[in-house]
Amino acid sequence: IGKKETYEDTGAVLSRMSDAVTARVKSREQIAGLAANSTIPIVNALDDYAHPMQMLADMQVMMEHLDVGPDGTADGLQGIKFAFCGDLNNNVTYDLMRTGCIMGMDVRVAGPKGEDFAIEQSVLDECAELSAAASNAGTVKVCETAEEAVDGVDYVYADSWMSYGVEGEERDKRFNQLLPYQVNSKLMGLAAPTAKFMNCLPAMRGEEQTADVIDGPQSIVFDQAENRLHAQKALLVKLINKEIV
């Protein structure tokens, strides 16, 4: 999009043809442009700064495995300890941090040092604001090691190490930088005994996690994947029926 007509024009045209649009885009500018002239819901399926639809599925699967029913509980995900290990400079990590603050979770993230892996300051600032917004808001801690992040947590999360097109020496370098943050059975052993493993998929066994973790009894990755369908259906129903705006 944005090649032969503006994002705003595309949003206006789509408004005449459909009840809602789900757009997976490359930048926040694109999703904002689509929404600017739209008269229907424009759902951000993914951009370079966030992955909100994944967050709905992730929170749903966590609640399911905590036996939180449809009516919720007094606590929900309040106080849950959650760790992400891997590349901290990506949209999934950013939204896990934001969502954890909103949901009252203790979020810990760990990844390599260096500009290529660093969390954008704007995200850290946003999380600080979310944490300060309510007395029961969650917190985010950037940990030095994967072991520190995972210690005693209820959920351990990994995401792909390699973007499309990363090959050759660049791939080898990136692999070696991220290897200390691989989720393996030894690392999972530091989490709570009932801890679950998550990955938003696709996953590469032997990279961000080992096969024994993703295929083992603590893994809930396919429940998580299934919820991408259910969570998005529920969101569309509420948007189209104007239950949320």
Side-chain angles (χ1 to χ4, degrees), residues 4-245:
K4 298 184 73 173
E5 70 175 1
T6 65
Y7 309 134
E8 290 81 1
D9 284 356
T10 299
V13 170
L14 291 172
S15 294
R16 304 296 184 95
M17 299 179 175
S18 54
D19 296 312
V21 170
T22 297
R24 190 177 174 101
V25 297
K26 293 183 178 179
S27 72
R28 182 59 55 90
E29 177 191 9
Q30 290 175 320
I31 202 74
L34 285 173
N37 289 345
S38 174
T39 58
I40 60 173
I42 303 291
V43 178
N44 183 354
L46 173 149
D47 65 29
D48 60 339
Y49 200 56
H51 202 342
M53 297 303 94
Q54 184 64 52
M55 296 305 105
L56 292 182
D58 290 349
M59 297 306 108
Q60 182 185 357
V61 80
M62 291 168 69
M63 286 187 172
E64 286 173 345
H65 283 271
L66 288 169
D67 294 323
V68 177
D71 296 327
T73 66
D75 297 320
L77 295 177
Q78 202 78 36
I80 289 297
K81 296 179 175 63
F82 179 95
F84 177 91
C85 298
D87 181 6
L88 302 186
N89 185 301
N90 75 81
N91 53 4
V92 172
T93 314
Y94 292 171
D95 252 6
L96 287 169
M97 293 165 60
R98 297 179 182 114
T99 305
C101 290
I102 293 168
M103 300 299 288
M105 295 160 55
D106 168 9
V107 179
R108 309 170 196 172
V109 299
K113 304 284 191 224
E115 185 176 342
D116 291 342
F117 301 101
I119 301 168
E120 294 179 56
Q121 186 59 47
S122 61
V123 176
L124 294 171
D125 293 343
E126 188 177 359
C127 289
E129 291 177 10
L130 290 169
S131 292
S135 59
N136 61 349
T139 58
V140 171
K141 179 181 180 181
V142 181
C143 299
E144 292 293 323
T145 65
E147 289 78 10
E148 179 188 357
V150 169
D151 185 32
V153 300
D154 303 294
Y155 293 92
V156 180
Y157 200 115
D159 189 17
S160 175
W161 286 354
M162 306 297 171
S163 299
Y164 295 109
V166 178
E167 298 176 349
E169 291 183 5
E170 182 184 358
R171 182 182 179 87
D172 293 342
K173 178 182 177 183
R174 188 173 174 84
F175 179 89
N176 289 328
Q177 288 174 302
L178 285 159
L179 190 57
Y181 302 91
Q182 181 187 71
V183 180
N184 52 39
S185 56
K186 182 178 179 181
L187 188 66
M188 284 297 296
L190 299 177
T194 56
K196 304 298 183 184
F197 173 74
M198 301 171 66
N199 185 315
C200 53
L201 303 183
M204 289 295 291
R205 290 160 177 80
E207 290 192 6
E208 68 268 18
Q209 73 284 293
T210 52
D212 59 336
V213 169
I214 195 169
D215 297 323
Q218 291 174 285
S219 175
I220 57 173
V221 300
F222 296 114
D223 291 345
Q224 187 182 355
E226 179 187 340
N227 283 350
R228 285 298 301 274
L229 173 64
H230 305 315
Q232 268 69 125
K233 287 192 299 183
L235 178 65
L236 284 171
V237 167
K238 288 185 174 293
L239 287 171
I240 291 170
N241 289 335
K242 295 182 170 54
E243 295 177 40
I244 54 175
V245 293

